């Protein structure tokens, strides 16, 4: 935790000075402007949802080091929101949040048990998934400005994910078996439902652009689920058994 706090202190950047806002916006020629705005707007909404989680965690967690990290994280998420808003506003208005994502995020935020339930959903699953997606988009989108701002944002997000994993490892022993399984079941249901909804609507044009299959959210879940096993929230056999009941 000391090294995460030290990294937090040294990784600071300014949205004004460290991003070259004079760079042009180039969106892919196979995209309509409206579609591109819709995709980027989802990151803007994600940043806002993550701020609500940080605020909720600060009302639940007493540990001073974790509180220091989350307080700083909250400021970073506000900066990310500003950066995505400024980027989208160069092209038009922010588009609404995708209903499938909104349902998963609101469902995650509604968790009232141990803070690990929030951290698993947001720091590991949501932020983990967002970083993977941003990384792919940066490679596929020809936009120098998008590349420049994401280089900064991805570094922050990687630190948030590292905090989430560490928090789970350090605090999982506080949970009863019942609570551990309840947390896994809660997040698995939300994110599997989200994957199913996105797949059936196939409304996320990003799936086409990134050449990820229609089931990319389901694949993403498999990746994040491995993290939950590695970091001690759940065993492989428990995860299989719980998911079987959900599907
Ligand atoms: Fe963020
Ligand atoms: Fe974050």
């Amino acid at each position: 935790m000391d090294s995460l706090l030290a990294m937090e202190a040294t990784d600071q950047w300014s949205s004004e000075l460290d991003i070259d806002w004079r760079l042009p916006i180039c969106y892919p020629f196979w995209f309509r402007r409206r579609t591109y705005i819709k995709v980027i707007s989802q990151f803007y909404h994600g940043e806002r949802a993550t701020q609500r989680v940080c605020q909720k965690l600060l009302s639940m967690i007493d540990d001073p080091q974790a509180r220091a990290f989350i307080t700083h994280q909250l400021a970073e998420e506000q900066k990310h929101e500003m950066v995505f808003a400024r980027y989208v506003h160069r092209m038009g208005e922010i588009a609404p949040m995708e209903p499938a994502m909104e349902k998963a995020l609101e469902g995650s935020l509604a968790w009232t048990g141990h803070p690990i339930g929030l951290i698993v959903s947001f720091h590991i699953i949501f932020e983990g998934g967002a970083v993977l997606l941003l990384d792919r988009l940066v490679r596929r989108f020809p936009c120098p400005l998008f590349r420049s701002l994401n280089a900064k944002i991805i570094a922050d997000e990687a630190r948030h994910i590292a905090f989430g994993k560490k928090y789970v490892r350090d605090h999982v022993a506080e949970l009863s078996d019942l609570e551990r399984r309840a947390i896994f079941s809660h997040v698995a249901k939300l994110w599997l439902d989200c994957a199913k909804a996105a797949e059936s609507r196939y409304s996320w044009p990003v799936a086409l652009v990134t050449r990820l299959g229609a089931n990319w959210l389901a694949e993403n879940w498999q990746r994040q689920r491995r993290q939950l096993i590695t970091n001690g929230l759940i065993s492989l056999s428990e995860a299989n058994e719980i998911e079987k009941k959900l599907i």
Side-chain angles (χ1 to χ4, degrees), residues 218-230:
E219 283 172 16
N220 193 41
W221 165 251
Q222 289 305 317
R223 218 171 283 124
Q224 311 312 339
R225 168 194 203 265
R226 274 200 294 278
Q227 296 295 331
L228 302 184
I229 295 169
T230 311

Side-chain angles (χ1 to χ4, degrees), residues 103-121:
K103 210 168 157 212
L105 292 181
E106 290 301 331
S108 301
L109 264 160
W111 176 258
T112 51
H114 193 286
I116 284 184
L118 282 172
I119 288 179
V120 160
S121 224

Side-chain angles (χ1 to χ4, degrees), residues 28 31 65 68 82 88 96 119 121 155 182 184 223 228:
F31 253 36
Q65 280 196 313
M82 246 166 53
V88 171
I119 288 179
S121 224
F184 182 79
R223 218 171 283 124
L228 302 184

Side-chain angles (χ1 to χ4, degrees), residues 47 50 73 77 80 127 156-157 160:
E47 300 296 350
T50 317
Q73 181 188 350
E77 308 298 13
H80 299 169
E127 296 192 291
D156 289 347
E157 298 303 353
H160 303 164

